[in-house]
Amino acid sequence: MFRTRRLRKTPAIRRLVRETNLSVDDFIYPLFIEEGTNIETEIVSMPGIKRFSLDRISKELDEVVALKIPAVLLFGIPSNKDTEGTETWNENGIMQKAIRFIKQKYPDLYVITDVCFCEYTSHGHCGIIHENDVDNDATLVNIAKQVISHAKAGVDMVAPSGMMDGTIEIVRQSLDNSGFSDLPIMAYSVKYASAFYGPFRDAADSAPTFGDRKTYQMDPANREEGLRKATFDDEEGADILMVKPALSYLDIIRDLKNNFDRPIACYNVSGEYAMIKAAAEKGWIDGEKVMMESLLSMKRAGADIIITYFAKEAAKILNK
Ligand code: PBG
């Protein structure tokens, strides 16, 4: 008889044959930074996650550094929105100030910026609106402006998340032409039009005021299209390819891992976080164990990098 249980008998042998190991080195921690002062607002649908103004954020960053989390992903929440999101390339905008502040005070912490417009536009869409839809090529011009201004502020890596075609090509070209050929790009390559972003849109004030994002974000039914989209980003020069969300899209993570010779990232999004937190709060699941099991499943699926709101909590367990 085949006896697979022989290798499960004790913790020591289970450790020896374990195929996947989660590490704090895998994590990127998202941060919501709001323009203004004295802000530290708990996000109701994301227990434990807050929006901070820069004057209140040091405590959070000290903790991230002490826990040895290698990187943060910044989201800016500006005081002023307009139809184009012009604040995104203001050199004194919230993102630019945040990059300079963090790099000056925590030079070893790796700073990545989410490059998008939805938090900065009055209509909440990820670009310029033309005839009730986002105009792809007009938006590309503004993406380039935004990326260059982040680069000038000293960011370590940019992560364009708006799902406009041709983004990676224009971002790579603009960076190269402006003296930033060493600055890497993490592409939100396979980003689905997902209901799992609900809590984030409260957190970042970025829900669209009309319509939805289905003309630019992908249909959750499509797998082959994901490979096609990742191929474009790969050829256009993305350094890291990302799948988002993570938990309902583990098959896509594995597809990318098997098909591309690039580091693969996944984004364990706000709704995935909120579900675990809510069920744990009710006492229906063991929140800590479910958190660790789901992060492990993303790693096992093929993610080299996991962007997660659980980073601090999981790091505390992994660092023990
Ligand atoms: C777009 C962006 C979104 C998220 C990250 N970047 C929202 C969206 O596409 O509507 C979602 C992240 C999450 O749900 O945790 N700037």
Side-chain angles (χ1 to χ4, degrees):
M1 204 197 295
F2 289 111
R3 294 205 184 268
T4 56
R5 293 181 57 192
R6 279 184 208 121
L7 298 183
R8 291 184 205 133
K9 219 162 177 63
T10 70
I13 185 63
R14 289 198 295 271
R15 275 172 63 204
L16 280 171
V17 301
R18 184 160 296 144
E19 297 173 33
T20 309
N21 281 295
L22 205 55
S23 154
V24 67
D25 297 341
D26 306 328
F27 296 149
I28 298 174
Y29 186 57
L31 283 177
F32 299 104
I33 302 178
E34 186 169 347
E35 198 151 24
T37 51
N38 210 22
I39 301 166
E40 187 172 337
T41 317
E42 182 109 30
I43 299 156
V44 178
S45 49
M46 301 173 73
I49 305 296
K50 293 173 176 170
R51 288 155 66 143
F52 293 95
S53 51
L54 276 181
D55 58 330
R56 294 282 288 265
I57 206 168
S58 294
K59 194 171 34 125
E60 178 84 340
L61 290 166
D62 289 343
E63 214 183 323
V64 168
V65 170
L67 288 167
K68 301 193 173 66
I69 295 167
V72 288
L73 174 64
L74 306 186
F75 293 94
I77 302 156
S79 334
N80 293 316
K81 303 188 188 224
D82 59 24
T83 53
E84 280 199 34
T86 57
E87 263 299 297
T88 55
W89 61 85
N90 174 356
E91 72 173 281
N92 284 313
I94 182 60
M95 224 26 160
Q96 291 77 0
K97 282 194 278 200
I99 297 164
R100 287 194 293 266
F101 175 83
I102 299 173
K103 286 315 295 182
Q104 202 235 331
K105 208 164 163 209
Y106 306 86
D108 295 333
L109 184 63
Y110 199 79
V111 174
I112 309 167
T113 48
D114 181 89
V115 172
C116 200
F117 295 96
C118 56
E119 302 98 346
Y120 292 81
T121 48
S122 37
H123 44 75
H125 277 286
C126 304
I128 297 176
I129 298 293
H130 182 66
E131 290 175 355
N132 273 322
D133 196 3
V134 178
D135 183 322
N136 194 90
D137 299 7
T139 300
L140 289 181
V141 176
N142 287 351
I143 291 176
K145 291 186 211 162
Q146 183 180 165
V147 156
I148 296 302
S149 96
H150 291 182
K152 285 186 175 154
V155 77
D156 292 306
M157 176 154 78
V158 290
S161 70
M163 286 293 279
M164 295 302 123
D165 288 323
T167 296
I168 303 306
E169 182 174 26
I170 197 154
V171 167
R172 186 69 273 156
Q173 272 173 6
S174 320
L175 288 172
D176 291 353
N177 294 339
S178 310
F180 298 106
S181 52
D182 286 340
L183 208 132
I185 305 168
M186 175 161 67
Y188 280 73
S189 290
V190 193
K191 178 175 179 182
Y192 289 93
S194 170
F196 285 98
Y197 307 149
F200 173 95
R201 292 181 186 170
D202 298 336
D205 273 343
S206 65
T209 53
F210 68 90
D212 53 39
R213 304 207 202 289
K214 288 181 185 165
T215 67
Y216 43 105
Q217 298 181 347
M218 271 183 44
D219 182 343
N222 292 358
R223 180 174 176 182
E224 284 167 20
E225 187 190 352
L227 275 176
R228 213 146 57 223
K229 171 65 169 59
T231 301
F232 293 142
D233 287 355
D234 180 54
E235 286 171 359
E236 290 176 24
D239 297 278
I240 296 173
L241 304 172
M242 191 211 297
V243 175
K244 177 183 171 187
L247 268 187
S248 292
Y249 300 87
L250 296 176
D251 54 335
I252 314 299
I253 297 174
R254 174 46 59 182
D255 278 346
L256 262 59
K257 182 70 180 170
N258 287 348
N259 282 281
F260 297 96
D261 186 21
R262 302 259 190 208
I264 304 301
C266 70
Y267 198 140
N268 177 209
V269 300
S270 57
E272 300 170 4
Y273 178 83
M275 287 195 303
I276 293 178
K277 284 290 174 194
E281 219 168 77
K282 278 185 167 284
W284 291 353
I285 58 170
D286 179 329
E288 225 168 60
K289 288 196 174 126
V290 172
M291 162 182 78
M292 294 309 276
E293 188 176 329
S294 47
L295 292 169
L296 184 72
S297 75
M298 296 166 207
K299 186 92 187 269
R300 191 194 62 234
D304 303 289
I305 298 167
I306 302 171
I307 303 162
T308 181
Y309 304 101
F310 286 121
K312 287 195 318 182
E313 266 178 277
K316 282 177 199 156
I317 295 170
L318 292 167
N319 288 338
K320 255 186 223 155

